[in-house]
Structures are given as C-alpha cells and as structure tokens.
C-alpha cells in the first residue's frame, strides 16, 4: 500500500479537513465503484422473497432448496479468486464491466428458468459476477482515493452492501404486494404481467446491473494498473483529477512504482506458511474471523427471514415488510461502526458484538422451543413470537455495528505487507465457504429440528467468537501497516497491539 505525502491540510482528520474539488471527483469515482458492493448485497438477499415460491414451483425438498439458495456463494468464491487475476491483466473497469454483464444475463436467465437445475446454473453465474465485483470494488477505491479520504471511502463498500440488501428486500416486497394470489397461494407464486412474481424478483436485478455496467465504462482506469503497464502519463492524468493540492501526483506514482518493484523482489518470500510447516498464526486468525462472522448465522436472517416471520404469526405480506425493516436497521447500524471504529477500537466493539449476538440468539433459541411443527409448518404464537422478533432485530443490530464491517477492516489491516493480498484471499475464500455451509444447512435443520436447535448452534458460535477475540485478536487501532508484522495480543492491557 503506497502512502502519499500529505500537508497539514490533508492530514487533518474529521470533518474539518481540506476537501478540494478534486476530492469530490474521488468521492464520485469511489461511489461508482461501490455499486459493486450494492450488487453483492442485492444478490445475497433478492432470493429471500422467492425461496418458498420456487421451492413449490419446482417441487423440491428442503435440502435441495437450501443448495439452490447457497450455490451462488460457490460462484462468488470462484469469481473472487479469478477477479484479482483478471484485473491485473485487463484492468479494473473492464473486469467490473464483465461482472455487470454476468449479473445482467444471469438475472434474466434465472427469472425464466424452466427447471431447478438450470436455475442453479444461472445462480452460479450470478455468483461469479458478484464475486468479481466484491473483490474489484474495494481494490479500485483504495487505489483511486486521496490519502486524506481513503478510510472513509473504503467504508462505502460495506455501506453499499447493506443498501443492496435493503433494496432487494424492498423490491421483493413491492413485487409480492402487487400480485393477487388465490386463497392459500403464495404471493410470490401468483402471476404478475404474465410471469410468476418470484421470477420478476430476479429479473428486476437487471436495473442495478445496467447501472453498474454503465458506470464501469465511464470511470478511469486505476493508477496502479496504469503504472504497472508503464502508462505513467495516463496515471498522472487520473491522479491529477482526484488528488487535492496537498498531494503531488508524481510522488504518488513514484511510490506506486516502488511498491510494485518491492512486490516483485519479495514475491518468493511472501509465504503464508511457517518455516516448520503449517499456516502462520496471523493467517489462522484471519480465517477464523471470517468463519465466525458467518457461523453466527447472519445470512439466515437475510436469506430465510420471510419464512421465519410467517412462523411467528405474520402473514406473507407483513413478513416482507418486517424483512425490509430489518434491512433498514442493518443499514443504520453500519454508520455506528463507521463512527466508533477509530475511537473505541476494534477489539472492544467485537467483544460487545459477540456478547450481544450470543444473548439475542440464545433468546431466539429459547423462544422457538415454544413453537409447533417444523419446516414450512413451523408456528410460534403469542408473546413468544414478539420476543423472537425483537431478539432477531437485536441480533442484526449487534452484528451490523460490529462483526459485519469490522472483520473486513481487520482483514485489510492485520496482515503484514508481504502477505496481505494472499492472506486476504485465503480469508475471503474461507468466508464464502462458511457462508455456503450455513446457508445450505439451515433448511434441513429447520425441517428436522425446528428453529430452536439452529439458533442455539449460532449462539454457541457467537459465544466462542467472544473468547476467540479475547485470546487471539490483536487491537490494530493506531498501529501503522508497516508494524503489523510484530503485533501481539496483550490481554492484561485490554488486548492492545504493540510491537514485540
């Protein structure tokens, strides 16, 4: 990571720093790139409103239904792995455009799928496009951003994900409420403009895909890529448009050239393994952070929430509304994390989040012990339904304000420079796989045991995440990236990270 020189003006933190018209250009470019995060969030949750309807339409069991929901995550893993390599060959905007095209085409094909098998194929294609967007967007933002704004512009990716989740659930709600289902029929199964409503829930994704594709064609290439291709004049022109008067474009180019040269020189030493074999401890910390982020079951809320809200007594239309409200909550609490992360620190927020998630998930598990039936016939009535609803939204608050955004922040900070890209790739792959396992396992668990056992399992993982954070996760607040090689956990000093 290059560090551009700054003047006192540019170094001022908070709302009072100098912001030139060039900075506005950088903000606009970062916002355009962050639409990739919006697609990520949209695709993750758009299937929520269609789960029951396509399951009935294709007449599939709970296990295959769960696999159909989760299979896009496998495509995401492959797309994320391939996206970085393609971006180094083709450039960032071209790969963004490829992701938009894949998402556009797969949205239409998913909407007109004639069997569960081609449905899953097109969902995998969508995942590939989303995986590309998820890895390219934050990389482009970091490479285009002025030093004074890099942290906040980087946070746009997480904010865009939560906004995408909200937009997907809202569009599902609008489409479902526009139908006239027959008695006993799912609203998402009723016809709307000649097609079943659940099909429109996927087809409508062509709108954000089109916007992302157009933006990808209009934004300039990353300065780092241009320098790596020895197109320094073009890189200078791009940097002159986005850097303020406190940063010299040529200094930034020289730093990029130095970083690229160091990466090539030390590439053979950038191993994730210890001399004696096995992964480095810091790599395991990154992997387990990613796994715990998913094993607390957050995506069960966003993938299957309509099913759960109907179980606690809401009718189908009201369950869509509750899911949308939950997604709004997720957006709002992301701002809490952005406001507190550099003041309170990473570890305290993670510990608070783990404790809050464990408590709220345990309450949900207790509430669902009073339910009757399993799977689609699950029912929870009376005050227990209200308790489960409040606990679920409390869980979203604790996750959205802590583990949701903070894990990505830590993964970007905690690895030494020489292994940062490779280690981040491994940790991200672990996150996609963990997401897949949780997503695919929930329907059969719900069908066999009801909701109590799955939520108890997630509560246990949240509890384990508390002790993992306490014992293994260092505090990276205030630590320079160059000093990450020597950080360690000091529990007697509240886990602060200091050089050893």
């Amino acid at each position: 990571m290059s560090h551009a020189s700054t003047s006192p003006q540019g170094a001022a933190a908070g709302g009072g720093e100098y912001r030139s018209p060039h900075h506005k250009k950088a903000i606009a470019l970062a916002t355009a790139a962050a639409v990739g995060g919006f697609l990520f969030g949209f695709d993750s949750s758009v299937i929520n409103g269609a789960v029951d309807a396509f399951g009935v339409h294709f007449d599939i069991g709970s296990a295959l239904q769960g696999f159909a929901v989760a299979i896009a995550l496998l495509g995401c893993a492959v797309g994320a792995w391939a996206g970085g390599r393609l971006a180094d060959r083709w450039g960032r905007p071209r790969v963004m455009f490829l992701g938009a095209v894949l998402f556009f085409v797969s949205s239409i094909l998913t909407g007109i799928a004639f069997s569960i098998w081609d449905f899953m194929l097109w969902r995998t294609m969508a995942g590939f496009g989303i995986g590309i967007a998820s890895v390219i967007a934050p990389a482009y933002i970091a490479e285009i951003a002025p030093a004074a704004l890099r942290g906040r512009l980087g946070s746009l990716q997480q904010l865009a994900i939560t906004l995408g989740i909200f937009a997907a659930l809202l569009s599902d709600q609008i489409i479902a409420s526009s139908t006239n289902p027959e008695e006993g029929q799912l609203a998402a199964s009723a016809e709307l403009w000649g097609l079943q409503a659940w099909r429109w829930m996927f087809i409508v994704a062509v709108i954000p895909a089109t916007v992302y594709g157009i933006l990808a064609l209009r934004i300039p290439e990353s300065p780092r890529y241009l320098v790596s291709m020895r197109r320094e004049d073009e890189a200078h022109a791009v940097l002159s448009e986005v850097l303020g008067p406190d940063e010299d474009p040529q200094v930034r180019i020289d730093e990029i050239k130095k970083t690229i040269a160091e990466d090539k020189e030390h590439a053979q030493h950038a191993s994730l393994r210890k001399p004696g074999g096995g992964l480095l401890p810091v790599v395991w910390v990154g992997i387990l952070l990613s796994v715990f982020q998913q094993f607390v079951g957050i995506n069960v809320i966003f993938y299957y929430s309509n099913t759960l809200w109907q179980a606690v007594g809401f009718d189908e239309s009201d369950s869509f509304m509750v899911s949308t409200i939950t997604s709004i909550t997720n957006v709002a609490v992301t701002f809490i994390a952005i406001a507190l992360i550099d003041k309170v620190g990473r570890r305290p927020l993670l510990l608070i989040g783990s404790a809050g998630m464990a408590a709220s998930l345990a309450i949900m598990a207790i509430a669902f012990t009073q339910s009757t039936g399993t799977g689609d016939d699950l029912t929870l009535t009376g005050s227990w339904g209200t308790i489960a609803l409040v606990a679920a939204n409390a869980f979203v608050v604790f996750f959205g304000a802590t583990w949701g955004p903070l894990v990505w922040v830590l993964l970007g900070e905690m690895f030494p420079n020489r292994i940062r890209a490779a280690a981040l790739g491994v940790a991200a792959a672990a996150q996609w796989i963990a997401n897949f396992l949780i997503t695919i396992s929930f329907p059969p668990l719900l069908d066999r045991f009801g909701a109590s056992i799955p939520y108890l399992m997630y509560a246990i993982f949240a509890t384990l995440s508390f002790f993992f954070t306490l014992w293994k996760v260092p505090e990276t607040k205030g630590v320079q990236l160059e000093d990450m090689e020597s950080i360690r956990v000091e529990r007697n000093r509240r886990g602060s990270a200091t050089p050893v």
Side-chain angles (χ1 to χ4, degrees), residues 83-97:
R85 289 161 174 77
L86 292 175
D88 287 337
R89 293 182 181 182
W90 299 352
R92 280 54 166 165
R94 289 181 181 177
V95 177
M96 289 182 193
F97 183 73

Side-chain angles (χ1 to χ4, degrees), residues 268-288:
Q268 67 272 27
H269 303 298
S271 174
L272 304 184
R273 294 184 176 276
K274 298 181 293 184
L279 293 176
L280 293 168
V282 71
V283 178
W284 277 116
V285 171
I287 290 172
L288 290 173

